[in-house]
């Protein structure tokens, strides 16, 4: 199944070097993204899920581990209301 | 358990102050007579005063709780009710002033933000006080923008450090960047706006937070 992820609108993101803080301006909820999560979030927000996957696959030899880690990160961000899975 | 309950009218709702002894809140300022009007927003148990129970063998010092957290233990009930008034005023002002449940502190003549705990008599604070640490009496600070915070004791100040309570059994753990800003931002009373978060990043983004299980090691590290 091909995912069609995109970032949720109306979120305010503050980037500090390779980390981020995301504020849901409606609920006031705050989220901290560590460097791997912030990288995935930024890539998906900028260029969508298929391009993000391709970009990451170019740098990782172990694709099964990459897909597992990516799925876990993305599920976490969907659960927290940072990404939408269309 | 609660023998006294009164209501304080805040701009966005009614805040309950309650105590374990009848009449304990008689000296509390800001009280409104009677109950909140029907349909008004109510926030129960915002301030809880557990007074000294003289009927019990093991006496505990009177303590103010903000929501569920103990924030101030005083020598007597009068002191705790006075602090309840001060804390209630701060919480009411937080509608218009950015307020954080973080305590201003001074360690080795350097001013900082203490976010390890919120209780004025925590064992960690008492140990820091023995090596010269001082703490603002009010458990909150106001973010004044342009990198400064405000408290009653020291007015507006630019913090030079932040104290956190991350596990650090053997050495000092240092926290910077987004994680530090996030941990302080979660102490905001009421909703944080995106512009305030941006300013907070400017104020804290270059600071370093220190955690150490040993308070003497923490103080020595801050003192340089």
């Amino acid at each position: 199944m091909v995912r069609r992820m995109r970032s949720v609108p109306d979120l305010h993101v503050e980037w500090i070097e390779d980390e981020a803080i995301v504020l849901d301006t409606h609920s006031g909820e705050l989220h901290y993204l560590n460097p791997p999560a912030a990288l995935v979030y930024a890539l998906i927000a900028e260029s969508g899920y298929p391009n993000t996957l391709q970009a990451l696959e170019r740098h990782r030899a172990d694709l099964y581990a990459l897909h597992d880690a990516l799925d876990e990160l993305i599920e976490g961000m969907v659960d927290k209301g940072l990404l939408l899975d269309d | 358990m609660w023998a006294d309950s009164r209501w304080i009218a805040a701009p966005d709702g009614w805040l309950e102050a309650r105590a374990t002894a009848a009449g304990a809140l008689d000296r509390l300022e800001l009280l409104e007579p009677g109950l909140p009007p029907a349909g008004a927003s109510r926030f129960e148990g915002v301030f809880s005063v557990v007074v000294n129970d003289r009927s019990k063998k093991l006496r505990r010092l009177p303590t103010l709780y903000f929501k569920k957290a103990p924030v101030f233990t005083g020598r007597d009930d009068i002191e705790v009710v006075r602090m309840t008034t001060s804390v209630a005023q701060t919480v009411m002002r937080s509608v218009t002033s950015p307020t954080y449940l973080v305590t201003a502190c001074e360690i080795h003549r350097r001013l900082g933000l203490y976010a390890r705990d919120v209780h004025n008599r925590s064992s960690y604070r008492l140990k820091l006080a023995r090596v010269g640490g001082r703490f603002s009496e009010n458990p909150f600070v106001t973010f004044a923008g342009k990198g400064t915070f405000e408290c009653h004791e020291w007015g507006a100040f630019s913090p030079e450090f932040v104290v956190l309570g991350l596990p650090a059994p053997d050495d000092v753990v240092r926290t910077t960047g987004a994680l530090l800003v996030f941990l302080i931002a979660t102490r905001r009373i009421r909703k944080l706006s995106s512009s305030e978060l941006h300013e907070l990043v400017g104020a804290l983004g270059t600071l370093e937070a220190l955690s150490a299980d040993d308070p003497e090691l923490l103080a020595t590290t801050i003192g340089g």
Side-chain angles (χ1 to χ4, degrees), chain B residues 7-52:
Chain B
W7 291 91
I8 299 166
D12 57 347
W14 291 65
L15 314 178
E16 185 192 25
R18 60 192 183 183
T20 52
L25 299 173
D26 286 348
R27 286 193 183 85
L28 183 61
E29 295 170 27
L30 314 166
L31 293 175
E32 298 287 335
L35 295 169
S41 297
R42 298 169 173 219
F43 302 95
E44 293 178 0
V46 177
F47 312 106
S48 301
V49 176
V50 177
V51 300
N52 194 348

Side-chain angles (χ1 to χ4, degrees), chain A residues 19-37:
Chain A
E19 307 167 291
I21 305 166
V22 185
L23 170 66
D24 182 326
T25 53
H26 292 297
S27 68
E29 263 190 78
L30 281 161
H31 304 277
Y32 163 71
L33 302 184
N34 64 13

Side-chain angles (χ1 to χ4, degrees), chain B residues 16-85:
Chain B
E16 185 192 25
R18 60 192 183 183
T20 52
L25 299 173
D26 286 348
R27 286 193 183 85
L28 183 61
E29 295 170 27
L30 314 166
L31 293 175
E32 298 287 335
L35 295 169
S41 297
R42 298 169 173 219
F43 302 95
E44 293 178 0
V46 177
F47 312 106
S48 301
V49 176
V50 177
V51 300
N52 194 348
D53 186 347
R54 290 178 178 79
S55 67
K56 289 191 176 168
K57 275 187 182 173
L58 181 64
R59 287 189 189 170
R60 297 176 67 182
L61 289 169
T63 298
L64 164 66
Y65 290 74
F66 175 62
K67 298 178 181 173
K68 290 184 177 170
V71 292
F72 183 84
T73 295
R75 290 181 299 272
D76 54 41
D77 297 353
I78 293 171
E79 190 181 29
V80 172
V81 171
R82 177 183 59 75
M83 179 52 67
T84 306
T85 300

Side-chain angles (χ1 to χ4, degrees), chain B residues 8-13 15 30 43 46-47 66-67 85-102 138-143 187-193 196:
Chain B
I8 299 166
D12 57 347
L15 314 178
L30 314 166
F43 302 95
V46 177
F47 312 106
F66 175 62
K67 298 178 181 173
T85 300
S86 172
V87 166
Q89 284 170 332
T90 305
V91 171
M92 289 167 74
R93 277 199 303 270
S94 71
V95 174
T96 51
S97 302
T99 304
Y100 292 78
L101 187 51
V102 170
N138 193 303
F140 299 96
V141 287
T142 305
F143 180 43
R187 302 290 198 97
R188 175 72 156 87
I189 307 297
R190 304 177 195 273
K191 256 192 203 176
L192 181 66
S193 70
E196 187 181 325

